[in-house]
Amino acid sequence: MKLITAYDLRQLSEQAANSPRLRANHNLHPELSDPVQRLAIAMAPGTYVRPHRHPHTFELLTALSGRFLVLHFDEAGYVTRRVVLGEECKLLETDADTWHAVLSMDKDGVIFEVKHGGYQPVTEHDSAPWAPAENKPEAETLMEWYAQAQVGERFTRYRSAALVAQ
């Protein structure tokens, strides 16, 4: 039997708050090669999730504690869906190959994720070219925009080198 207790959630949140990326995860799957990835991810406010996609799998999310803003985007970076997970929405599935990002809204927020494995890190090709990389100072500006973004809007205060070259 595999469990995630309230104590585990508190410990995971504490680990996230003390980690450089402000995230920590607890895997239920035994190996990264497991065909079904199942994990709790503590995400402290301020952690940056660059818009990305998973060409090979859906992504199922539910909030174990706290609230999370989930945004879906089209290819050009326009918001197509905006959902607060952990309020009225309790479970959300993002289709494969859909651009999406998550913003942690609360201290001690933990989200649970299920998707097809084995584990495949997000490549640069599957990271939105219209959004700054994780280590860029503009990422903070994008997160501020996430909080206010509405369906039909596009983030325009940052242009990647790839877009500027076009």
Side-chain angles (χ1 to χ4, degrees):
M1 178 184 302
K2 297 177 183 176
L3 303 171
I4 298 176
T5 66
Y7 175 80
D8 295 331
L9 295 179
R10 288 190 300 274
Q11 292 295 109
L12 199 57
S13 292
E14 188 175 309
Q15 289 172 21
N18 293 314
S19 75
R21 294 181 73 209
L22 300 174
R23 281 187 245 172
N25 62 287
H26 173 81
N27 296 351
L28 291 185
H29 52 278
E31 299 176 5
L32 293 179
S33 62
D34 198 88
V36 180
Q37 305 287 290
R38 307 166 313 277
L39 60 154
I41 308 166
M43 299 172 65
T47 188
Y48 176 56
V49 178
R50 184 179 183 185
H52 63 284
R53 62 185 175 188
H54 305 284
H56 68 289
T57 184
F58 66 88
E59 183 175 85
L60 183 73
L61 301 174
T62 190
L64 298 177
S65 62
R67 297 170 302 144
F68 299 86
L69 176 63
V70 180
L71 298 171
H72 287 183
F73 306 92
D74 67 12
E75 288 287 331
Y78 287 92
V79 176
T80 60
R81 293 290 309 264
R82 181 185 203 279
V83 175
V84 177
L85 187 61
E87 286 183 348
E88 286 299 312
C89 179
K90 300 300 181 186
L91 184 92
L92 178 141
E93 183 175 288
T94 297
D95 291 336
D97 214 28
T98 300
W99 295 104
H100 63 284
V102 177
L103 179 71
S104 178
M105 299 173 70
D106 299 316
K107 180 181 178 289
D108 298 331
V110 181
I111 201 165
F112 193 79
E113 175 181 298
V114 178
K115 62 186 174 191
H116 290 294
Y119 171 71
Q120 294 182 25
V122 175
T123 65
E124 187 61 28
H125 176 74
D126 293 316
S127 297
W130 41 264
E134 187 172 324
N135 57 351
K136 300 293 183 186
E138 299 90 352
E140 182 71 31
T141 303
L142 180 57
M143 286 192 304
E144 290 170 6
W145 177 80
Y146 284 171
Q148 308 299 321
Q150 298 298 315
V151 171
E153 295 179 352
R154 179 180 182 206
F155 182 66
T156 58
R157 288 175 268 177
Y158 172 82
R159 294 193 57 154
S160 73
L163 289 178
V164 171
Q166 293 180 353

